[in-house]
Amino acid sequence: MDISYIINELAEDRENYFNAIAPPIIQSSNFAFKTVDDMRGAFADEYSTYLYSRGLNPTVDILRKKLAALDGAEDCLVFNSGAAAIFAAVLANVKSGDHIVSVRKPYTWAQKMFNEILPRFGVTTTYVDGRDIENFERAILPNTTVIYLESPNSWDYAIQDLKAVAELAKAEDIVTIIDNSYCTPIYQRPIEFGIDLTLQSATKYIGGHSDTVAGVLSGSAEMIMRIFNSEYMNIGSGISPFNAWLLIRGLRTLPMRLQHITQTTTRVIDYLKGHDKVEEVLFPFDEAFPQYALAKQQMEGACGLLTFIIKADNVEQIEQFCNSLQHILMAVSWGGHESLIIPKCSGLPAAAFNPQHKEHRSLRLYVGLEEADYIIKDLERGFGMMGQ
Ligand SMILES: *Cc1c(COP(=O)(O)O)cnc(C)c1O
């Protein structure tokens, strides 16, 4: 399906709402029936009927159809956060006594679920370095039911060979789940490589304006229906109609925003790589990236998120760099219009900083929608204020 068609037309039955160009926000919790028989039908199958907005809602459905098509999936569910999508995807595929193989350092709240919540129910997790397929082979146990991926990782950009992992998992009857937030379906479609469930934080690029928290989970019609009738309805973590409407609005400009960001990010990276205070830049589409070949093979693009290692002898220099930025904001998240930075040392007590640890000197930069020169000038200011 054409991306322009998906974004601009698919699922928009304008004749049903006064030929309005922007779809209506159906801000209704419940829906009425004309006959007992209609109501009976809805109770029997809530997945096919508008009954109550914790389940289906017409505005959310427009968004669902577009997002599933972008993922090349049969169906999808939209949650009120990416974390909720992760939780439902995993919970739906484990029971007491099961085992999960996950990539090392997945998103914080995925890790917390694996380490703190699931063990309470007898589900254990083994973390592997996902850059080598053999690590997955070695970690799989007879009771492994889920392989959890995040490719690229959103700090070090480690990548997994999606096709190889999918083949391995299928042979062992294991469900594969991937966090595809970094690429979005514009730059990577894991289902085409045989991955079962692909999810993303729609808070990032789909929303794109730092005003909505949401998550998407896509997969086969059978799997998505099963999750809808259980975890989705039970946790009640579906997106609200208004937030779904904001995501439809965000989607309209998704390819353009990514295109612009891809161009400016390349310029920012060139600048950083040429700077004498920068030791290293980590970015999957940089030729020096160790997994560059695999990145090029399975991703159509890389987004505006990168990490650079700054040369610093003490934490104060990094703090001065960050504190003197005037346009790049210090904040979590990414994928919005505004450039952002997180120094790794902000997660450490200042006394624990050790310049020998490369990671302590790493900064994650998100390149937003500003012009490259504007961002580079701000970085230049930061480097100038670092001192010795
Ligand atoms: C932000 C993020 C999430 C979680 O999404 P929320 O919408 O914040 O719940 C999951 N994975 C990655 C890689 C993220 O960056």
Side-chain angles (χ1 to χ4, degrees), residues 192-233:
E192 289 175 4
F193 297 103
I195 301 295
D196 295 309
L197 287 168
T198 179
L199 62 90
Q200 54 179 322
S201 166
T203 311
K204 313 293 161 56
Y205 279 117
I206 306 293
H209 294 76
S210 301
D211 54 14
T212 320
V213 176
V216 191
L217 174 65
S218 295
S220 71
E222 183 261 329
M223 175 82 84
I224 295 296
M225 180 168 77
R226 185 161 69 75
I227 296 173
F228 173 86
N229 282 318
S230 178
E231 289 77 14
Y232 183 87
M233 286 298 291

Side-chain angles (χ1 to χ4, degrees), residues 81-84 86 107 150 154 179 181-182 199 201-204 213-215 333-334 364:
S81 73
I86 295 171
Y107 180 69
E150 184 179 323
S154 66
D179 184 334
S181 300
Y182 184 87
L199 62 90
S201 166
T203 311
K204 313 293 161 56
V213 176
S333 198
W334 48 279
R364 191 179 76 173

